[in-house]
């Protein structure tokens, strides 16, 4: 990412924190709570018969808590180009995932820590460009899931570490650290 893109992410996050409207909606005994966040980390890609450097991952996500435990989430995670070599030929590889998940959070008693699990569907796209001019693109939808640990810094701001797995032709695993703002 260049400096302008990083500056825009910081500016958008700062704007959300400063505005922080309390948009929680109560329906009877249920309270819904929307949130948006950013994450960064690393993909681990397993390509048959190739040596792959793990690309840096970055993404955005949004969700809605239906109550204190259950919710849903959508996310996009992309990567920078990483090096790949196969049969002595070098190139670069990048990956993207788009996912929709059901989520479950378990808050540990008397603490701001919580565990999070998610399960849903994701589309994983991988592009490989070799120096000899060949290229390969794969795009597959499949089951995806993840587990994580989060910490509620305050009632409106959480940070999370997460490990995710996407089922596709190229086995993709994702380790991220993210932060989200609840409205």
């Amino acid at each position: 990412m260049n400096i302008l893109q990083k500056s825009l992410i910081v500016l958008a996050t700062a704007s959300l924190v400063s505005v922080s409207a309390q948009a929680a909606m109560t329906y009877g005994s249920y309270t819904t709570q929307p949130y948006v966040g950013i994450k960064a980390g690393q993909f681990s890609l397993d390509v048959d018969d190739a040596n792959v450097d793990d690309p840096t991952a970055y993404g955005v996500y949004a969700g809605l808590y239906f109550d204190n435990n259950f919710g849903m989430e959508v996310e996009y995670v992309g990567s920078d180009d990483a090096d790949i070599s196969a049969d002595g030929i070098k190139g670069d590889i990048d990956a993207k995932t788009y996912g929709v998940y059901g989520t479950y959070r378990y808050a540990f008693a008397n603490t701001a820590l919580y565990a999070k699990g998610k399960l849903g569907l994701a589309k994983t796209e991988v592009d490989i460009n070799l120096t000899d001019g060949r290229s390969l693109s794969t795009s597959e939808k499949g089951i995806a899931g993840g587990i994580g640990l989060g910490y509620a810094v305050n009632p409106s701001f959480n940070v999370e570490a997460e490990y995710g797995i996407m089922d596709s032709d190229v086995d993709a695993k994702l380790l991220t650290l993210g932060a989200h703002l609840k409205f």
Side-chain angles (χ1 to χ4, degrees):
M1 280 197 286
N2 65 33
I3 293 174
L4 178 61
Q5 290 171 324
K6 291 177 184 176
S7 299
L8 286 174
I9 289 172
V10 169
L11 180 61
T13 303
S15 297
L16 287 173
V17 170
S18 67
V19 172
S20 188
Q22 294 300 321
M25 298 164 278
T26 302
Y27 301 103
S29 63
Y30 297 104
T31 300
T32 61
Q33 183 83 51
Y35 60 93
V36 296
I38 57 175
K39 59 173 58 178
Q42 196 159 36
F43 271 108
S44 175
L45 304 172
D46 184 16
V47 180
D48 292 339
D49 301 324
N51 295 324
V52 180
D53 288 346
D54 293 336
T56 301
Y58 50 88
V60 295
Y61 61 102
L64 183 67
Y65 299 126
F66 299 126
D67 61 21
N68 290 336
N69 299 108
F70 293 98
M72 67 170 291
E73 190 171 283
V74 296
E75 78 175 357
Y76 163 79
V77 179
S79 76
D80 61 354
D81 288 341
D83 293 334
I84 185 171
S85 63
D87 298 327
I89 301 170
K90 296 183 180 198
D92 55 292
I93 184 170
D94 69 66
K96 298 174 192 67
T97 64
Y98 312 85
V100 177
Y101 305 94
T103 63
Y104 180 81
R105 292 183 350 144
Y106 173 78
F108 296 105
N110 302 319
T111 179
L113 287 174
Y114 61 89
K116 177 180 172 184
K118 66 183 188 178
L119 184 64
L121 297 173
K123 179 179 181 181
T124 304
E125 297 176 354
V126 176
D127 295 317
I128 300 172
N129 296 302
L130 300 174
T131 55
D132 68 355
R134 291 183 293 162
S135 63
L136 169 71
S137 293
T138 181
S139 176
E140 188 174 330
K141 297 177 197 101
I143 301 292
I147 56 172
L149 188 63
Y151 180 77
V153 176
N154 64 42
S156 297
F157 186 72
N158 293 13
V159 293
E160 294 179 347
E162 186 176 275
Y163 178 75
I165 299 173
M166 285 66 68
D167 181 31
S168 66
D169 286 342
V170 175
D171 292 331
K173 297 170 186 69
L174 180 62
L175 183 62
T176 59
L177 180 62
H180 68 260
L181 182 67
K182 296 185 271 185
F183 296 98

